[in-house]
Amino acid sequence: MGHKGAVYTLAALTDTDFVSAGSDGYIIRWFLDGDSHGEAIAQVHTQVFTSRYIHSLQLLLLGAMDGHLYVIELVKGKCIRNIDLKCGFVFCIEYDDDKIFVGTQSGALYIFSTEFEVLQMVNVADAALRSFSLVQQSNRLFIASSDKHVYALHTSSCKIISKWLAATHSVFSLAYSHKDETLYGGSRDARLYTYTFEEQGVNVKNIAAHMFTINDLCIDEDRQLLFSASRDKTIRIWEMPGLRLLKSIDQKFDAHRNSVNKLLYFPKRNLLISASDDRAVIGWNVNKT
């Protein structure tokens, strides 16, 4: 089975399988060693924008267009919780030890326990929270917002400890490189940003990277590669830290015909998964050239 509409999110389950979800509400499981047909394991009756699998709980969390957080028990393919956040679309979910972070369209950040009790609600911004990047070593959760800023939340105190003007337009995606201690951002202005942290503040640099919005970023730490997905229908591979363009995956490679919305990387296999408005989920073997 494949999707009947745009695919917005991907989430790894193990080193050998993952799920996808999108506008049709189906959650489809794919096996890396299987054939090209996925298996529908659950469905919600709304568009799904984001997903996060918590292995220790064996639960799949979904953020949806209707403003709900859905909790799927994966073994049974059953929705066991349906939490209405009443803050518009749910765009991003992250998990850190005993806390679940959920970012919403209104700019509110919900922090849940693993029992799905609300521990705290933080009004981070006056615009949508679009993406998270968790850095456990420093207890920081970076939050990308449509107000052009990136915020840093201390995950223990759950307080905003810094923010900076991060782009000329809405920041859609974030990815952190531990090797070069740099945060990377992708924006609606089609530019790639680097944020390095110095005593006097955050040093912001950027390059022209795509023709349209950069929807998602992910990193291969071992080989120091950054992958970017864009509404311009391309995936681009960059060498870090200098952001030298290595390859653009476009129609020459039978790539996506519409906006590329989400990326997922399996480093042990050098395998990049992409999801698109064209309803396709594609796997790419990545060779550094």
Side-chain angles (χ1 to χ4, degrees), residues 107-109 122-127 129 143 145 147 151 153 160 163:
L109 172 72
V122 181
N123 288 310
V124 175
D126 294 326
L129 309 183
I143 306 168
S145 175
D147 70 358
Y151 297 79
L153 179 96
I160 299 295
K163 74 171 187 176

Side-chain angles (χ1 to χ4, degrees), residues 27 33 170 189 237:
I27 296 88
D33 296 321
S170 176
D189 61 18
I237 305 174

Side-chain angles (χ1 to χ4, degrees), residues 50 155 177 194-195 234 239:
T50 187
T155 54
S177 170
T194 61
Y195 311 113
T234 69
E239 185 179 60

Side-chain angles (χ1 to χ4, degrees), residues 64-80:
M65 184 179 183
D66 63 2
H68 288 228
L69 176 69
Y70 293 88
V71 183
I72 307 295
E73 190 178 70
L74 205 63
V75 175
K76 296 181 180 179
K78 179 182 178 182
C79 181
I80 61 171

Side-chain angles (χ1 to χ4, degrees), residues 8 31 40 54-55 57 66-67 70 81-82 113 117 131 134 148 151-152 156 160 173 187 195 225 233 250 264 281 287:
Y8 297 132
F31 294 91
I54 303 177
H55 189 270
L57 304 177
D66 63 2
Y70 293 88
R81 295 288 183 95
N82 178 357
S113 72
E117 298 172 345
S131 179
L134 177 67
K148 309 177 189 177
Y151 297 79
S156 296
I160 299 295
S173 51
S187 172
Y195 311 113
L225 299 176
K233 310 175 189 178
D250 52 29
L264 176 64
V281 175
N287 296 309

